């Protein structure tokens, strides 16, 4: 009988950095992806903001959804073989905080590369406190992987046996050695920055976080509802498309100027764009389109960052 795989807690940025897969070679054995920091993942647990849900199949229901955390965006695909998860995605209002447990899936295009996504097994709507708890847990586990990775780099010949002697789990030890073999010595400072950035989303007044194990003083970011976008009649499609692209470019430029390290506040984006004679409906339509195209994401409700 196959054992149940643990559900890893990994930020979207580390998850999406993955370019290596360990494919199963025998029946009833699991496949894994291995992230640059040594997470050897078959199942994953993520929490974040459900930003959009779209039916991408003309026959039946096959949904694509995105969940953003402070570092990036997870992509979910759910269809008829995941009836509970599909039903939840259809029922939950966007945007909302959700928690997802699911299996990792990969796609290799003809031109090469590796795209990772999640096939959800369980989806539940949660509150901001649970989302913040997940960020803290994921920061802690990311920090543990960084420490283990550094221990491996100190070894003349990094190996699973010596990592396990230091107290690291079999899964993490194997993952780190595999990551070293595939990615080589990665830029650990990038993942240290992800931890700091993630903590600052839930502790915005604390600029320097020295010890992530200290009890944090949470500032809860309350959900903010987006206003519905009303589309205007399509009188001249070509002219409208040109106008739409121009507005998206202007909105994206505003976000880049405002975002800083923590992103740009939704209200500030609206105010600055209005000064450029763009209506609120046009701004929100542009924001939605830019999210769909992957140029921006919403790490916390009411805050926008570029990718």
């Amino acid at each position: 009988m196959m054992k149940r795989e643990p559900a890893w807690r990994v930020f979207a940025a580390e998850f999406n950095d993955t370019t290596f897969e360990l494919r199963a070679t025998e029946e009833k054995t699991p496949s894994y992806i291995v992230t640059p920091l040594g997470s050897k993942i078959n199942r994953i647990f993520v929490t974040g903001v459900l930003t959009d849900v779209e039916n991408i199949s003309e026959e039946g229901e096959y949904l694509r959804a995105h969940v953003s955390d402070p570092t990036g965006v997870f992509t979910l695909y759910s269809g008829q073989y995941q009836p509970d998860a599909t039903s939840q995605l259809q029922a939950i209002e966007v945007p909302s905080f959700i928690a997802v447990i699911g299996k990792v899936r990969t796609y290799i295009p003809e031109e090469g590369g590796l795209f990772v996504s999640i096939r959800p097994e369980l989806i539940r709507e949660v509150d901001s406190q649970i989302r913040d708890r997940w960020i803290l847990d994921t920061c802690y586990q990311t920090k543990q992987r960084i420490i283990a990775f550094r221990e491996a780099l100190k070894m003349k010949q990094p190996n699973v046996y010596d990592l396990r002697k230091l107290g690291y789990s079999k899964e993490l030890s194997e993952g780190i050695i595999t990551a070293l073999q595939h990615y080589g010595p990665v830029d650990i400072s990038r993942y240290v920055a992800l931890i700091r950035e993630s903590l600052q989303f839930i502790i915005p007044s604390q600029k320097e976080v020295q010890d992530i194990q200290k009890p944090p003083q949470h500032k809860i970011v309350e959900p903010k509802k987006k206003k519905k976008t009303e589309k205007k009649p399509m009188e001249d499609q070509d002219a409208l498309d040109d106008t739409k692209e121009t507005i998206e470019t202007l909105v994206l430029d505003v976000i880049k100027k405002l975002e800083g390290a923590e992103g740009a506040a939704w209200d500030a984006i609206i105010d600055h764009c209005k000064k450029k004679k763009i209506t609120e409906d046009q701004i929100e339509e542009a924001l939605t389109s830019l999210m769909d195209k992957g140029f921006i994401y919403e790490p916390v409700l009411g805050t926008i960052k570029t990718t």
Side-chain angles (χ1 to χ4, degrees):
M1 177 182 297
M2 286 179 62
K3 71 173 184 178
R4 189 169 180 79
E5 294 289 332
W8 290 70
R9 288 164 173 77
V10 173
F11 285 121
E14 181 185 346
F15 184 71
N16 292 325
D17 282 347
T18 303
T19 61
F20 184 67
E21 180 181 21
L22 282 171
R23 279 191 173 274
T25 55
E26 299 178 3
E27 189 177 357
K28 295 185 178 181
T29 58
S31 296
Y32 302 90
I33 62 166
V34 179
T35 71
L37 210 52
S39 304
K40 185 181 173 184
I41 307 173
N42 174 266
R43 295 174 72 243
I44 188 169
F45 170 49
V46 306
T47 299
V49 180
L50 177 66
T51 58
D52 63 272
V53 179
E54 178 185 10
N55 187 359
I56 57 174
S57 173
E58 295 182 356
E59 300 176 357
E61 293 175 343
Y62 190 58
L63 305 182
R64 178 174 60 200
H66 293 102
V67 177
S68 68
D69 75 3
T71 71
V73 177
F74 295 99
T75 301
L76 279 57
Y77 289 97
S78 186
Q80 60 178 322
Y81 299 110
Q82 300 83 44
D84 292 341
T86 301
S87 176
Q88 285 290 321
L89 284 175
Q90 291 171 321
I92 295 174
E93 183 179 358
V94 175
S96 295
F97 292 118
I98 66 170
V100 181
I101 294 177
K103 292 268 192 179
V104 171
R105 285 292 175 266
T106 59
Y107 168 67
I108 302 175
E110 291 183 359
E111 60 271 23
L114 180 74
F115 291 94
V116 292
S117 61
I118 300 172
R119 187 189 70 191
E121 299 172 329
L122 177 68
I123 295 177
R124 291 289 183 269
E125 190 169 0
V126 298
D127 58 26
S128 58
Q129 287 91 341
I130 292 177
R131 192 287 306 268
D132 290 351
R133 182 71 251 176
W134 178 85
I135 289 176
L136 289 175
D137 289 345
T138 306
C139 284
Y140 175 77
Q141 295 196 15
T142 303
K143 179 183 176 184
Q144 294 304 106
R145 290 196 293 278
I146 290 172
I147 294 171
F149 204 95
R150 284 174 170 158
E151 292 288 353
L153 290 175
K154 294 177 186 174
M155 299 175 183
K156 290 184 178 179
Q157 293 183 329
N159 61 86
V160 173
Y161 178 77
D162 285 340
L163 279 176
R164 296 213 63 191
K165 282 204 304 182
L166 293 175
Y168 297 108
S169 68
K170 177 175 181 290
E171 291 80 8
L172 179 56
S173 299
E174 290 177 347
I176 286 176
I177 298 305
T178 303
L180 273 173
Q181 293 169 345
H182 178 71
Y183 301 100
V186 299
D187 180 9
I188 290 178
S189 64
R190 164 175 162 72
Y191 299 102
V192 173
L194 290 182
I195 294 176
R196 183 180 298 112
E197 183 178 348
S198 299
L199 288 174
Q200 287 177 349
F201 272 107
I202 56 176
I203 318 173
S205 61
Q206 186 174 341
K207 299 302 183 185
E208 295 295 335
V209 179
Q210 301 298 331
D211 184 353
I212 68 172
Q213 292 182 337
K214 288 182 179 177
Q217 301 298 315
H218 288 187
K219 178 178 178 181
I220 306 302
V221 180
E222 296 298 335
K224 177 182 176 182
K225 303 297 183 185
K226 293 180 181 178
K227 294 183 179 180
K228 292 184 178 178
T229 301
E230 295 180 3
K231 294 184 178 179
K232 294 185 174 182
M234 305 284 284
E235 296 180 356
D236 185 329
Q237 189 61 51
D238 290 339
L240 195 58
D241 287 346
D242 290 343
T243 302
K244 182 179 176 182
E245 288 184 8
T246 301
I247 292 173
E248 288 180 9
T249 301
L250 289 171
V251 172
L252 187 60
D253 287 343
V254 167
I255 296 170
K256 288 179 178 177
K257 290 177 182 176
L258 293 176
E259 64 179 340
E262 299 181 356
W266 186 281
D267 291 341
I269 297 170
I270 298 292
D271 289 342
H272 278 72
C273 289
K274 281 182 176 178
K275 293 177 183 176
K276 297 180 179 294
K277 309 299 182 185
I278 307 173
T279 68
E280 190 161 338
D281 285 347
Q282 289 174 319
I283 299 165
E284 297 200 1
E285 185 177 357
L287 289 169
T288 301
S289 178
L290 289 168
M291 285 186 188
D292 291 343
K293 294 174 180 176
F295 290 118
I296 61 173
Y297 65 100
E298 193 170 13
V300 296
L301 289 173
T303 302
I304 301 295
K305 288 196 73 175
T306 56
T307 56

